[in-house]
Structures are given as structure tokens and as C-alpha cells.
Amino acid sequence: MAMMTIQIYNTATRQKEIFEPINPPVILMYNCGPTVYDYFHIGNARNFVVADTVRRYLEFVGYRVRFVQNFTDIDEKIIRRAHETGEPWDKLAERFIEEYFRAADALGIQRATVHPRATEHIPQMITLVERLIARGLAYVVQGNVYFRVRHFPAYGELSGKNIDELEEGARVEVEEHKEDPLDFALWKAAKPGEPSWPSPWGPGRPGWHIECSAMALTHLGETIDIHSGGCDLIFPHHENERAQSMGASGKPFVRYWLHNGFLTIDKEKMSKSLGNFFTINEVLAKYPPSVVRFYLLSAHYRHPLDYSDAALEESRSAVGRIREAVISAEKLFELMDPAIAPPSEAEPSTEVARFETAFCDAMSDDFNTPRAIAAIFEAVADLNAWRLKLVQDPRNPALAADVAGLINLIHRLLAVLGLDDLIFGDSKQEHVEERQLAHELIDILIRTRQKARELKQFTLADFIREELSKLNIRLQDLPTGTIWIKD
Ligand code: AMP
Ligand code: ZN
């Protein structure tokens, strides 16, 4: 299969590389999903929307993406929140998994191929930890298991950190029984009042990093094509995940590490711990999902994106311009004689195809969504111009085919960005509602005419018939009542 060349910026090599999947057309992709102790915020949403858009584009060019996004459904934050609210920790996690799906569905984020939950992979995590112990890469202290960082020579390669500098910077943590402050927990001995699972080292729970290693291994295998997440995860989460996975398998773990930049507020990272965040529900209460998703894609995924009402309002007006252009053109076809209006599958001319080329060039260049959106806007500008020409020259079939081709293309490209359904979904609904309303209004006119005839007001009755016939609506009086036919 001839695939388009795609370049991806790989965090591990700090450069754009040509994307060469291990086993095309299948692509194995893992995205670090939410820790489910609360509603996610608009910064987290950026990560989910970026990963979903990457996946959609890869599928658009012909790949089949096996996409895994986990739920971290056990960790300190969940335990702490459960203590605060008095809700059982597992019920709390379950509730926020449902909330995740609700908001993600609203934002047009497609369901992953698999959504594994950490708590459903405890045996796989234990096996992985055992393997690391057997290889001398992990050790047990009082029911805890730690990863022996100094024994994994490739440690620090992903984040570009020097192990000795890390050592100097490392706080001597409370866990003083570690061999080295750099070592991190794979398994944590149970504490009173906290959830725990049995293990060969006594009851306990997994560390955060081992969860992702185990879930990626279970659902994708030892070596995967793309691993994504926010750039706050590069160190330590992904560095540790990599050390564990490679340490256990002896094989490469990830071919392309893809990290999105922060969503910021007043130039500061939006985060729960800083308290400077807006939950997705708060944002969706103010702006429709199409506007929120458009805004999240309006910057390149690696750049920071600042949150402000002004930025969201700008996105609102941009989405409005696309919507208006497409709906106006579609309405024009509805009004046109069907003999002239081309079928919606009209082949686009080369004129139209150039917008698709510009869009794909942008997306293939490390998923440059702002440039891809600019290509859509060029198509929108042409659509407006060509629509006006078509109004003047409605019997020009080549022009009509181009306008129809452009409408189709804009829908298709918006769909790659996950925006088409969000922008036009309600307009399809509106369309159905408008049609229903039209039918009801015609029925009212027919009954009014009936009333007029009963009252012997024949001039009014004829007036109604004639006015309707101007709209090509013909009335037929049958013994059972009056029906109408649209010519
Ligand atoms: P969490 O639920 O905190 O584990 O985060 C879920 C995902 O959102 C991770 O991939 C994070 O890296 C990402 N993330 C968190 N905060 C931000 C932010 N302000 N901007 C962009 N991505 C973020
Ligand atoms: Zn992870």
C-alpha cells in the first residue's frame, strides 16, 4: 500500500522523523488516559483531542490504528478524594469514568479500541515486577518493590536527563529504605485503611508507572509504534515506563514518543494542583463542543495554548464562518432544480483537490492542525465566491459540480479533525425539524381552506390554493379529505 509520508516529532530523538510503523497498515498506539478522581479539565482535554486527531488522520490516510487509552483508577489522589468525600474509592473511580465518557463523547473523541483499567491488570503488573526482580532491575524492601535505576543504562535517554544531575537534585525522600534516591516504586506495601491486592511481597498496590507498562504490554505487545501524553509526563512517568518495559523485555518499547504542549492560563500550566483550572463541564456550559474542539486544535499540538475567553470567542466566530458558508451553499442546492444540482458524490475538479493536498501536507508535517485549518478556510473562501457565481449562473453544470465537490471536501476534512459532526450535527437535526414544521404549516393551511369553504368564503379558499401552488404545492380534494403533493 502506498502511504503518504508522515513526519512525527519524536521526543526521544528531539527531531522530526519519517514515520515508519512496525507492521503497516496496523499501528499500535497508547495514550496515557485520565486519573479518574474528578472531572477532567480543559488542559487534559487537549491531550485527549490531540491523540484522537492523530488517530483519525492516520486512519484517513489508510492505516488501521489499534488505540489503547487507559484509566488510572487507583492512586493517591483517588484514595485521598474518597477519604474526603466518604465515597468508596472504586465507586468514585467508576463515576468519573462515566463522566469521562460523557464529556469525551461530547467533544467527538472516539472510543479507544480498548480502555483498560489499572485495577483490572494487577496480575499482569505483578508478573512484570517479578520479571524485573529476576533480571536484577528491581528489589524488595519491607513489602515495597523498587526499580534499580542505576542498573538500567538507558535511563534518562527519553527526557534527555543526566543520571548524575538527577541524583544531585533528588530529594532524600521519606522512603529511606531505597538503595538509591533515584529508584522509584513499582509496588507499594499496603497502608492501613487503603485498598490493597495480594502479591508475592505481601498486600499492596501498584505504582503509577508500572500500570501503563503492563497495560501497554497486555493490549499492544512489547514494542509499539506511538506513545502519547502531555509533556508533563515525559519525566518521570514515561522515562520510568520506558525503563520498566525495556528492562523487562530487553526490546525497544516505543518507536515514536509524541507529547503535547501545555494548555496554559496566564502563561502558567493549567493544573488541578495550582487550582487555575476549568473543568470540561464548566467550559462546555459556556461554549458548544465544536468551538471547544476547534480551539484545542487551533495551535500546533507541541506549542503552548493559552486559555482565554477571547481565544474561545475567536474560535466561535471561526466555526460560525465555516458553518454559514457550508449551510448557505447546501441551501442553494436545495432550492435549485434537481436536474441542475449535481449528486452529492460529484467528483471534485483539480481546483477542489488542491485544498485536500494542502490539508494533507499540513497534517503529514507533524500533525500541523493550524495549517490544516488554514487550508479549510481557503476552501471556505472559495466556496463563498463560487456560490455567489452559481447564484448568477445557476445553469453552469461545471460550476455546480465544483461547488458540490467543495462542500463534500470541507465536510470530509472537518471529519478528519473530528469537527464535522460537532459543527453540523445539530444542523442536520434542525433540518429534520424544519421539514416537520413545514408539513405542519401546510396542514394548517389546508384546514383553514376547509374552514373557509364551510363558511362559503370561496375567495379565501381559492387564494390559499393559489398561493400554495406558487410553491409547487398542489392540493387534491378526495372524498376522504384533502391531500397535498409537491411537484
Ligand atoms: P492526568 O489525569 O492528570 O493524569 O492527565 C491526563 C492527561 O492530560 C495526561 O496526558 C497529561 O499529560 C495531560 N495534561 C495535564 N495537564 C495538562 C495541561 N495543562 N495541558 C495539556 N495537557 C495536560
Ligand atoms: Zn501512563
Side-chain angles (χ1 to χ4, degrees):
M1 195 188 315
M3 292 280 186
M4 166 166 263
T5 304
I6 294 178
Q7 300 228 19
I8 300 184
Y9 182 91
N10 188 351
T11 307
T13 59
R14 291 155 204 60
Q15 61 187 19
K16 276 191 214 170
E17 293 176 6
I18 292 180
F19 179 54
E20 283 167 350
I22 307 157
N23 195 12
V26 173
I27 292 182
L28 307 176
M29 179 168 175
Y30 187 93
N31 182 52
C32 283
T35 306
V36 279
Y37 69 107
D38 203 343
Y39 301 100
F40 63 86
H41 62 62
I42 178 81
N44 304 131
R46 184 177 195 196
N47 168 254
F48 309 140
V49 165
V50 163
D52 179 62
T53 306
V54 166
R55 173 196 187 181
R56 283 172 183 265
Y57 183 63
L58 293 173
E59 286 175 349
F60 176 70
V61 300
Y63 290 112
R64 292 212 320 270
V65 184
R66 182 169 168 79
F67 181 69
V68 176
Q69 182 182 288
N70 71 293
F71 286 114
T72 297
D73 61 348
I74 181 68
D75 89 329
E76 271 96 14
K77 289 185 221 131
I78 297 175
I79 296 171
R80 201 180 320 131
R81 182 63 58 90
H83 275 301
E84 285 163 12
T85 61
E87 192 177 2
W89 67 272
D90 48 347
K91 292 279 174 308
L92 179 94
E94 188 63 46
R95 191 156 63 84
F96 284 110
I97 287 176
E98 276 167 31
E99 291 295 344
Y100 167 83
F101 281 129
R102 222 150 53 117
D105 289 349
L107 287 171
I109 297 164
Q110 291 173 307
R111 300 281 170 119
T113 320
V114 194
H115 279 284
R117 300 175 186 197
T119 55
E120 290 173 354
H121 295 75
I122 306 282
Q124 290 92 329
M125 294 174 204
I126 290 175
T127 307
L128 205 53
V129 175
E130 282 179 320
R131 218 185 297 167
L132 288 168
I133 295 173
R135 287 181 159 235
L137 281 167
Y139 57 95
V140 188
V141 190
Q142 297 165 12
N144 300 286
V145 186
Y146 296 101
F147 188 89
R148 199 172 259 136
V149 168
R150 289 230 171 238
H151 284 227
F152 182 73
Y155 194 83
E157 277 178 5
L158 171 64
S159 54
K161 292 195 189 289
N162 174 302
I163 213 168
D164 293 317
E165 285 170 14
L166 277 175
E167 183 92 70
E168 276 172 34
R171 291 175 286 123
V172 180
E173 296 178 29
V174 238
E175 304 153 279
E176 276 151 15
H177 34 261
K178 288 198 284 191
E179 285 176 6
D180 187 316
L182 280 182
D183 296 348
F184 58 88
L186 299 171
W187 186 264
K188 300 176 179 189
K191 294 194 189 119
E194 290 194 351
S196 66
W197 287 262
S199 85
W201 321 287
R205 64 183 171 88
W208 171 33
H209 318 302
I210 199 74
E211 297 178 356
C212 284
S213 285
M215 289 186 270
L217 179 67
T218 306
H219 298 284
L220 296 171
E222 289 174 330
T223 305
I224 68 179
D225 291 299
I226 301 177
H227 194 315
S228 61
C231 59
D232 51 335
L233 300 188
I234 299 173
F235 189 86
H237 183 53
H238 288 163
E239 191 69 73
N240 292 354
E241 214 185 299
R242 176 177 181 270
Q244 297 160 159
S245 296
M246 290 174 74
S249 74
K251 305 219 177 80
F253 174 42
V254 169
R255 306 261 298 215
Y256 304 89
W257 285 96
L258 187 148
H259 290 103
N260 63 271
F262 288 138
L263 188 128
T264 56
I265 189 155
D266 298 328
K267 309 283 179 228
E268 212 173 356
K269 180 196 171 191
M270 181 180 285
S271 78
K272 296 260 169 70
S273 51
L274 291 173
N276 60 349
F277 65 92
F278 290 102
T279 68
I280 193 62
N281 291 352
E282 287 172 316
V283 178
L284 287 175
K286 277 169 83 177
Y287 304 98
S290 55
V291 170
V292 177
R293 186 167 176 125
F294 183 96
Y295 156 74
L296 290 170
L297 295 175
S298 64
H300 187 267
Y301 78 88
R302 282 192 286 118
H303 294 173
L305 173 63
D306 208 43
Y307 183 84
S308 67
D309 280 325
L312 265 294
E313 286 304 334
E314 222 170 273
S315 294
R316 194 201 290 276
S317 93
V319 166
R321 270 180 285 146
I322 297 175
R323 195 179 141 89
E324 201 178 309
V326 171
I327 290 180
S328 308
E330 282 171 345
K331 287 231 159 104
L332 178 62
F333 279 123
E334 275 169 34
L335 296 174
M336 277 168 69
D337 183 340
I340 304 168
S344 55
E345 298 83 33
E347 261 306 298
S349 67
T350 48
E351 243 333 72
V352 172
R354 83 189 149 92
F355 296 113
E356 178 163 354
T357 308
F359 177 92
C360 289
D361 284 350
M363 289 299 282
S364 294
D365 181 9
D366 194 28
F367 311 104
N368 194 324
T369 52
R371 252 173 59 206
I373 289 172
I376 293 178
F377 269 102
E378 281 178 33
V380 164
D382 271 23
L383 179 62
N384 282 330
W386 296 358
R387 175 175 53 88
L388 294 179
K389 274 196 223 158
L390 191 60
V391 172
Q392 311 282 315
D393 186 12
R395 297 200 172 262
N396 181 338
L399 187 56
D402 267 358
V403 171
L406 208 43
I407 294 173
N408 280 334
L409 181 76
I410 292 171
H411 279 304
R412 240 156 41 85
L413 301 185
L414 287 171
V416 178
L417 301 179
L419 284 167
D420 195 49
D421 287 345
L422 300 187
I423 296 179
F424 298 104
D426 57 340
S427 85
K428 283 178 198 141
Q429 184 54 32
E430 266 169 31
H431 201 83
V432 171
E433 283 166 12
E434 269 174 25
R435 201 175 278 264
Q436 260 172 3
L437 182 65
H439 282 223
E440 281 161 21
L441 290 174
I442 296 169
D443 285 340
I444 291 175
L445 284 170
I446 290 174
R447 289 205 303 277
T448 311
R449 174 171 165 268
Q450 194 56 41
K451 271 258 167 340
R453 295 204 321 175
E454 280 165 24
L455 297 170
K456 310 242 183 290
Q457 295 182 356
F458 296 110
T459 330
L460 178 59
D462 287 345
F463 175 76
I464 293 172
R465 172 191 284 277
E466 278 153 28
E467 287 298 306
L468 282 172
S469 88
K470 286 184 195 160
L471 299 174
N472 294 329
I473 295 171
R474 222 159 20 86
L475 301 187
Q476 250 179 16
D477 295 313
L478 304 175
T480 45
T482 305
I483 59 161
W484 60 273
I485 297 154
K486 187 159 181 347
D487 291 326

